[in-house]
Amino acid sequence: MKKLEQDFYDRSDVLKISKELLGKVLVTKFGQRLTAGRIVETEAYAGEIDRASHAWGGRRTNRTEVMYGAGGTAYVYLCYGIHQMFNVVTNQQGIPHAILVRAAEPLEGIDIMLERTGKKQLDFTLTKGPGNVGKAFGFHTRHTGLSLLRDELFIADDGYLVKKADLLATPRIGVDYAGDDAALPYRFIIRDNPYVSGKKIGLVKKEK
């Protein structure tokens, strides 16, 4: 595997990066406990112009300040007081783009993932949905601000290619509060992967 480098994250097109993260391998090694999984679902958030983004309208708080930092940084926030949601900060410093990793296919450390999630055996719910990704990979809000170039947290390319016909775009999930922006096709999935979250969708947009 080759660790993604800084220039991968520094680019301005958050949608393109979201698509290119599909098929890449997310790796955590927290407390010397290695877990890895192939990313199969992402959601893009386009910063200050995106009503679904935590940074919409230029909002800056202690929680969102990391989004304004350097690309290639982890943004982990707590959702509903339970779920640790892992996001990848992208673009240049001062532009708060971020990508939520919504699902991954487990590759390494499955026994650790089972322990963290309280499951007794592997099934597709282990890393389906961003809350489960957070649990299985050991994410916590204290990891906010970590560089994705470190040995304890990184994303890598192992040569896996997603076929164009299998890369699909849909509206994001759970952002009804965002008005018209809720309908934007900013969620990207690998077709028919059983770890993809949400209900099966009949008509989706194929990416070119």
Side-chain angles (χ1 to χ4, degrees):
M1 293 193 302
K2 183 179 180 181
K3 189 183 297 184
L4 299 182
E5 298 181 353
Q6 187 66 48
D7 58 358
F8 179 90
Y9 304 104
D10 286 345
R11 295 173 293 163
S12 62
D13 191 338
V14 70
L15 302 182
K16 181 178 178 66
I17 300 171
S18 295
K19 297 171 196 175
E20 293 182 358
L21 281 175
L22 293 178
K24 301 298 190 293
V25 179
L26 172 63
V27 179
T28 65
K29 193 175 182 182
F30 300 138
Q32 301 302 308
R33 307 184 83 197
L34 175 68
T35 54
R38 191 173 310 284
I39 298 170
V40 298
E41 180 181 0
T42 60
E43 279 183 346
Y45 291 86
E48 295 179 353
I49 63 170
D50 183 353
R51 288 177 177 269
S53 170
H54 290 169
W56 176 69
R59 185 184 305 128
R60 299 184 80 143
T61 66
N62 288 338
R63 184 178 76 167
T64 64
E65 192 62 28
V66 66
M67 298 174 69
Y68 289 87
T73 302
Y75 169 37
V76 184
Y77 68 88
L78 190 63
C79 182
Y80 302 129
I82 302 172
H83 303 300
Q84 311 279 343
M85 312 283 266
F86 168 65
N87 298 256
V88 176
V89 175
T90 65
N91 213 320
Q92 300 296 316
Q93 189 161 345
I95 304 175
H97 287 179
I99 299 163
L100 174 65
V101 175
R102 287 194 54 92
E105 183 175 337
L107 297 175
E108 297 286 344
I110 293 175
D111 56 334
I112 297 170
M113 295 182 182
L114 291 171
E115 176 189 330
R116 286 172 174 163
T117 57
K119 294 182 178 294
K120 296 186 180 300
Q121 59 185 14
L122 175 64
D123 60 33
F124 297 133
T125 66
L126 180 62
T127 46
K128 180 195 291 257
N132 288 324
V133 169
K135 287 181 184 177
F137 284 84
F139 282 108
H140 190 275
T141 53
R142 65 175 173 270
H143 296 126
T144 282
L146 285 184
S147 168
L148 296 177
L149 305 181
R150 300 166 65 107
D151 289 337
E152 64 182 315
L153 172 59
F154 62 91
I155 299 174
D157 186 345
D158 68 346
Y160 182 90
L161 295 177
V162 179
K163 296 178 181 177
K164 288 185 178 180
D166 291 335
L167 197 167
L168 306 177
T170 83
R172 292 170 291 192
I173 294 175
V175 295
D176 294 344
Y177 58 84
D180 292 343
D181 287 356
L184 293 172
Y186 284 5
R187 172 177 170 255
F188 302 99
I189 65 174
I190 296 179
R191 179 203 292 272
D192 295 332
N193 187 283
Y195 288 92
V196 168
S197 68
K199 297 178 181 178
K200 288 188 176 181
I201 300 172
L203 295 175
V204 291
K205 177 183 175 184
K206 291 183 181 180
E207 286 297 305
K208 296 180 181 180

